[in-house]
Amino acid sequence: MRRIHIEAITENERSLARGRSSVPHSAYLAAGALAILSACSSSSSGSNPTDAGNDALANVDAPTTEADAGVDSGAAADTGTAAVDAGYTFAFQPSNVRIADIGLAATNAKDENVAGACVIETDPTSPQASCFASPVETVTQPDGSTVNMVVVKSLVVASNGSIRVTGKVPLVVVSLSDVTISGIIDASSKDLNVGPGGAGPAASNAAGLSTGGGAAGSASAAIGGSGGSYCGVGGIGGGQTVGGTTYGSTAIRPLIGGSAGGGGAVGSGAGGGAIQITAAGMITVNAASSITVGGEGGPIGGIASNQNAGGGGSGGSILLEATAVTVAGTLAANGGGGGGDYSGAGGANATPSATPAAGGAAGPDDGAGGNGAAASTINGGPGQTGANLNAGGGGGASGRIRINSMSGVATLSSGILSPDATTACVSQGPLLTAATGP
């Protein structure tokens, strides 16, 4: 079994690194920093992967909520480099997953090139993936919650590549070098499929699942289900008076998904999924590509009295971290639209764009649903009521987007971020150090 070593970089080693300008980026994976590391082997079996060599990473303080600023102040010092396996190092501590767990999975990592459509279904005990030759593992975050993690040598999603991710727990993709995305990564909730770690739809006239779940609709009055909350507040259902509860941290530690809308007569929209992509090298999201964790639209109301519409689900979480991050494509964590009249199609699902998901239209039996959050609007729109009408559902709120890099500032060239980068739901910051823990 390969053990993990954390070594401080000496000033002499830094000087040596500065003189190696001809060394490729993937050989040292940090802005001008090269770790001179040795990987040692152990033949022990059945040992805890967090052994004495990894105590610095084993004891982690509870995650803290950072200031709601677009860019965190003060970049973290480059105090050490974590060796994962022979030939691969991280110049930082990845969020939410332990270096020890990455090291155990690294021996089976492969170079992955996704062309065409494939599916990943996360699960605490039996995850399934047609996308990768690298295995999908189940690991725990520092707060004790479960995520699925796949460690790859490198990842390329071609322009015709599409990765659809659904399932019960969030997904973490760790690359031992670079990640290049020219296609689609879809971790949204739609068409009765829940994004990874998102809250499933509410039952009939029941409160939405998860911390930000929308208020329930009524079976005895014209009150629609409210939209799910996350970073923003879900729109109130028609006839409702109280909004939802926001939660989570700007750092997205731990990695968590979106919340479901409140149930109307036939339930609600599910919350968007949660995905983290961590690369020891660079992450590039090319133009015309997208990563989306949108919420599902709320279902329609009914014909009979007090058959109100359901709320839309909130957006989920996107966390990108690498030595350098460039985004020319789309990152979207939008809310789903609230449900409307029986004659329509219900609230629209969130899309990978800055366009709000439309609430269901009003009609002869039910009020209109509220729009889902998108762009600079982080709160869902309210559902409507009217004389002799059942109530529409509220729109889902925005989720969260976080980008960590060595400089603390990513290159956002022509990319689209929704919610918008100017809102409190999008933040950037420095990478964690090896001594910090996940």
Side-chain angles (χ1 to χ4, degrees), residues 234-382:
I236 59 174
Q240 296 275 8
T241 58
V242 179
T245 301
T246 61
Y247 60 101
S249 75
T250 58
I252 312 184
R253 296 170 63 203
L255 182 66
I256 47 179
S259 293
V266 291
S268 75
I275 187 165
Q276 172 180 330
I277 302 176
T278 297
M282 298 187 296
I283 294 176
T284 304
V285 183
N286 286 319
S289 66
S290 63
I291 303 173
T292 180
V293 291
E296 184 179 26
I300 57 176
I303 297 176
S305 178
N306 301 324
Q307 291 182 337
N308 302 290
S314 78
S317 297
I318 298 172
L319 171 56
L320 304 181
E321 55 184 8
T323 57
V325 179
T326 299
V327 179
T330 299
L331 307 179
N334 299 325
D341 188 71
Y342 176 83
S343 62
N349 299 321
T351 60
S353 70
T355 302
D365 300 297
D366 307 283
N371 288 344
S376 61
T377 301
I378 65 173
N379 298 328

Side-chain angles (χ1 to χ4, degrees), residues 53-77:
N54 303 308
D55 287 344
L57 299 178
N59 300 314
V60 181
D61 293 333
T64 58
T65 300
E66 301 178 14
D68 285 332
V71 179
D72 294 341
S73 60

Side-chain angles (χ1 to χ4, degrees), residues 1 3 44-55 58 98 100-101 104:
M1 181 181 298
R3 297 199 307 179
S44 61
S45 61
S47 61
N48 190 318
T50 307
D51 60 13
N54 303 308
D55 287 344
R98 296 172 176 84
D101 290 331
L104 291 173

Side-chain angles (χ1 to χ4, degrees), residues 9 19 37 73 80 110 120 143 174 178 195 211 217 226 246 276 369 384 386:
I9 302 175
L37 297 162
S73 60
K110 305 291 191 297
I120 299 173
D143 73 335
V174 178
D178 296 335
T211 305
S226 294
T246 61
Q276 172 180 330
Q384 304 298 309

Side-chain angles (χ1 to χ4, degrees), residues 1-436:
M1 181 181 298
R2 188 157 313 270
R3 297 199 307 179
I4 314 304
H5 290 263
I6 308 299
E7 295 185 10
I9 302 175
T10 68
E11 191 56 36
N12 287 339
E13 290 165 348
R14 293 183 190 277
S15 299
L16 177 61
R18 294 187 189 103
R20 296 190 178 185
S21 58
S22 62
V23 178
H25 174 85
S26 60
Y28 52 90
L29 305 174
L34 175 65
I36 308 301
L37 297 162
S38 62
C40 64
S41 298
S42 170
S43 60
S44 61
S45 61
S47 61
N48 190 318
T50 307
D51 60 13
N54 303 308
D55 287 344
L57 299 178
N59 300 314
V60 181
D61 293 333
T64 58
T65 300
E66 301 178 14
D68 285 332
V71 179
D72 294 341
S73 60
D78 185 13
T79 59
T81 298
V84 172
D85 197 9
Y88 295 99
T89 62
F90 271 87
F92 61 93
Q93 165 62 56
S95 297
N96 299 315
V97 291
R98 296 172 176 84
I99 286 288
D101 290 331
I102 296 173
L104 291 173
T107 56
N108 296 313
K110 305 291 191 297
D111 291 306
E112 304 287 358
N113 192 325
V114 178
C118 64
V119 176
I120 299 173
E121 184 175 358
T122 65
D123 188 86
T125 57
S126 56
Q128 304 292 322
S130 64
C131 296
F132 302 135
S134 308
V136 181
E137 312 282 351
T138 297
V139 299
T140 57
Q141 302 190 79
D143 73 335
S145 63
T146 298
V147 297
N148 282 163
M149 179 183 73
V150 57
V151 178
V152 303
K153 287 185 177 179
S154 65
L155 173 62
V156 174
V157 181
S159 58
N160 65 337
S162 176
I163 300 177
R164 177 69 172 117
V165 191
T166 62
K168 297 177 181 178
V169 297
L171 177 67
V172 179
V173 179
V174 178
S175 172
L176 301 176
S177 55
D178 296 335
V179 171
T180 303
I181 299 169
S182 300
I184 296 169
I185 298 179
D186 184 354
S188 66
S189 290
K190 58 185 178 182
D191 305 327
L192 304 181
N193 292 306
V194 181
S204 175
N205 297 315
L209 301 176
S210 192
T211 305
S218 173
S220 58
I223 300 175
S226 294
S229 300
Y230 183 11
C231 177
V233 177
I236 59 174
Q240 296 275 8
T241 58
V242 179
T245 301
T246 61
Y247 60 101
S249 75
T250 58
I252 312 184
R253 296 170 63 203
L255 182 66
I256 47 179
S259 293
V266 291
S268 75
I275 187 165
Q276 172 180 330
I277 302 176
T278 297
M282 298 187 296
I283 294 176
T284 304
V285 183
N286 286 319
S289 66
S290 63
I291 303 173
T292 180
V293 291
E296 184 179 26
I300 57 176
I303 297 176
S305 178
N306 301 324
Q307 291 182 337
N308 302 290
S314 78
S317 297
I318 298 172
L319 171 56
L320 304 181
E321 55 184 8
T323 57
V325 179
T326 299
V327 179
T330 299
L331 307 179
N334 299 325
D341 188 71
Y342 176 83
S343 62
N349 299 321
T351 60
S353 70
T355 302
D365 300 297
D366 307 283
N371 288 344
S376 61
T377 301
I378 65 173
N379 298 328
Q384 304 298 309
T385 58
N388 301 316
L389 292 178
N390 295 319
S398 289
R400 297 185 185 273
I401 298 173
R402 172 75 175 194
I403 304 174
N404 295 331
S405 60
M406 191 69 73
S407 68
V409 180
T411 301
L412 306 177
S413 50
S414 57
I416 297 172
L417 272 63
S418 186
D420 192 85
T422 60
T423 70
C425 299
V426 176
S427 67
Q428 300 187 59
L431 297 163
L432 301 174
T433 66
T436 304

